[in-house]
Amino acid sequence: MFENLELQPPDAIIGIMGMFRADPAPTKVDLSVGVFQDETGRTPILECVKRAERRIIEAQDSKSYVAIAGNPGFNEAMEKLLFGAGHPALAAGRMASVQTPGGSGGLSVLGHLIARARPTATVWLSQPSWPNHLPLLRLAGLELAHYPYYDFDRHVVDFDGMVETFSKLGPDDVVLLHGCCHNPCGGDLSREQWDALADLFAARGIVPFVDIAYQGLAENLEDDAYGARVMAERTGELLLAASCSKNLGLYRERVGLATTVSRTADGAAVTRTNLAQMGRGIYSMPPDHGAAIVSRILNDDELTALWLDELGGMRDRLNGLRRTFADKLAERGAPGDFSFIARERGMFSFLGLTREQVIRLREDFHVYMVESSRINFAGLNRSNMDYVADSIIAVLQ
Ligand SMILES: Cc1ncc(COP(=O)(O)O)c(C=O)c1O
């Protein structure tokens, strides 16, 4: 049986991590990683998480299964966090949610749900998109296509290109949009653009599918959820996958949510049973520990306040690094305009370097990034920032 398998290429980022580890240069800098890092290069456990964990360990008296849909306290608190407690779809009982293993688990459950509900659907991914969207949704057996999203030359969202593409779509089309902090390009939609797309989708019957993996890391929890909320309000139907990996630093605990908004409460009750069945068929039961932590935090005022403070600290670090790095490149005479770095949001942006320049940065300056020149700003700190800016300028000249 196994002789039929073909050798698969290693994950590009894993390959770069290996090269970085093997590099003995004391000046080496890794800007390829996909996780938040503090000024000392650590990916910390939040204090609110530590406190919630201690309470769970003291109170927990069983490790029996929780439920196929996961922790109900988590699901309810997450719906409110994502959509706002007063959202009309929530008040009307039109939402259905299951806790999933990470945002990736949510994307997978929803992908399988689409394949069952509308086998003829095409799911549209942004060009570019998070590289894992494609294999995750392809495994669900879906037909995939790409819509233009990022103008690499001007470093802005190609909104005209999006509208032109979406104007030809209809009810057989599902469009996957990043809620905020677009990975990999950092270019987000404005409120006006979300409004315009929500109206266009409503008019043409297009189904929005929002992937929100960075809520609270762009502007604040409310503004970052604007797109998901307005879509859910105006289009009648929506799919949403959320992740707690980044905004709560719970990466390895695998905490996420798959939510749908149906046209009616009766429809939502039916969708809920299908969501649960999808989860049952893929992983049976979601892991509990991370969701129990999030439920404790979101259902306790003191822990919520602590989390908001810590989340604000992570966001300020990312936005501060963006501003400082854009200023540094300008002050040091970098050829070209890098002001887009300060305008974009989240952990990632494309620097716009060629593959050869990225390789030169790695080989001559020990600065590591993926070949597309996507960097994670959290890999920068006060002591390496000048060096990275000068290295980039050197390969650009
Ligand atoms: C856009 C996007 N969606 C979803 C995820 C999934 O995250 P996880 O499965 O770790 O929760 C990520 C993680 O990098 C992401 O960047």
Side-chain angles (χ1 to χ4, degrees):
M1 179 176 76
F2 299 133
E3 64 273 11
N4 294 325
L5 298 176
E6 286 170 18
L7 191 68
Q8 300 299 317
D11 190 288
I13 296 186
I14 308 278
I16 292 167
M17 277 162 66
M19 283 189 265
F20 179 78
R21 242 180 266 124
D23 186 343
T27 50
K28 65 182 179 177
V29 180
D30 188 5
L31 303 176
S32 71
V33 290
V35 297
F36 178 83
Q37 292 178 333
D38 64 15
E39 184 65 20
T40 65
R42 282 179 339 117
T43 301
I45 302 177
L46 300 186
E47 179 55 28
C48 60
V49 167
K50 278 279 184 203
R51 288 192 200 171
E53 253 176 340
R54 279 196 286 272
R55 292 184 200 174
I56 290 166
I57 286 167
E58 269 165 32
Q60 201 167 52
D61 56 5
S62 174
K63 290 285 185 193
S64 176
Y65 297 119
V66 176
I68 296 173
N71 179 325
F74 168 83
N75 293 350
E76 277 170 35
M78 284 293 289
E79 284 179 352
K80 287 185 190 143
L81 181 75
L82 288 156
F83 292 95
H87 195 282
L90 192 56
R94 291 166 45 222
M95 268 182 209
S97 296
V98 293
Q99 177 204 320
T100 55
S104 304
L107 289 162
S108 179
V109 163
L110 293 170
H112 282 86
L113 186 78
I114 298 167
R116 175 181 283 183
R118 188 66 65 90
T120 52
T122 300
V123 177
W124 292 79
L125 307 179
S126 62
Q127 182 66 273
S129 200
W130 181 46
N132 215 17
H133 277 149
L134 200 97
L136 265 173
L137 296 171
R138 197 181 269 152
L139 268 181
L142 293 164
E143 182 76 31
L144 302 176
H146 285 94
Y147 61 88
Y149 184 77
Y150 192 65
D151 181 331
F152 286 85
D153 295 326
R154 292 165 53 234
H155 290 281
V156 291
V157 172
D158 178 8
F159 192 65
D160 292 344
M162 291 173 85
V163 170
E164 198 188 320
T165 306
F166 298 157
S167 299
K168 298 180 197 119
L169 307 187
D172 250 3
D173 296 292
V174 178
V175 173
L176 182 62
L177 296 153
H178 295 227
C180 63
C181 302
H182 189 285
N183 180 8
C185 76
D188 283 344
L189 296 170
S190 67
R191 278 185 177 234
E192 293 69 32
Q193 289 170 334
W194 277 111
D195 287 343
L197 288 188
D199 289 340
L200 180 64
F201 283 25
R204 301 199 60 82
I206 301 167
V207 182
F209 183 173
V210 178
D211 178 9
I212 181 156
Y214 301 88
Q215 189 187 3
L217 287 167
E219 311 298 342
N220 56 60
L221 286 168
E222 304 300 312
D223 289 354
D224 294 357
Y226 181 80
R229 292 176 186 187
V230 77
M231 281 287 176
E233 223 174 282
R234 297 193 196 173
T235 59
E237 283 186 328
L238 167 118
L239 304 123
L240 176 137
S243 167
C244 300
S245 299
K246 326 278 162 155
N247 58 3
L248 282 127
L250 286 167
Y251 307 86
R252 69 172 68 160
E253 299 295 353
R254 313 308 298 131
V255 203
L257 189 81
T259 295
T260 54
V261 175
S262 300
R263 293 195 190 283
T264 62
D266 287 348
V270 174
T271 309
R272 193 169 295 119
T273 61
N274 281 273
L275 278 174
Q277 208 178 66
M278 293 300 156
R280 184 78 168 146
I282 304 171
Y283 48 76
S284 187
M285 300 269 174
D288 177 60
H289 188 65
I293 293 170
V294 178
S295 179
R296 284 259 167 181
I297 294 171
L298 296 182
N299 290 302
D300 178 295
D301 289 346
E302 194 192 312
L303 289 180
T304 302
L306 180 56
W307 174 52
L308 291 180
D309 195 45
E310 296 188 281
L311 177 64
M314 290 195 282
R315 175 176 63 240
D316 290 348
R317 169 167 162 73
L318 290 173
N319 290 341
L321 285 167
R322 283 181 170 279
R323 278 192 302 273
T324 318
F325 195 55
D327 288 349
K328 257 193 208 304
L329 286 167
E331 278 160 20
R332 291 171 178 252
D337 178 6
F338 285 91
S339 59
F340 66 88
I341 289 175
R343 281 194 304 274
E344 293 179 345
R345 284 292 173 265
M347 294 204 281
F348 310 108
S349 282
F350 288 113
L351 289 183
L353 307 181
T354 63
R355 186 171 169 270
E356 289 66 36
Q357 288 165 336
V358 169
I359 293 170
R360 237 198 104 200
L361 268 175
R362 184 165 75 221
E363 291 180 350
D364 295 356
F365 298 92
H366 313 279
V367 175
Y368 290 73
M369 63 186 68
V370 287
E371 276 184 7
S372 61
S373 82
R374 183 204 81 161
I375 69 162
N376 179 356
F377 290 92
L380 294 172
N381 56 48
R382 273 191 293 276
S383 48
N384 67 20
M385 201 181 288
D386 289 354
Y387 174 72
V388 172
D390 289 342
S391 305
I392 289 169
I393 293 168
V395 302
L396 281 170
Q397 273 158 354

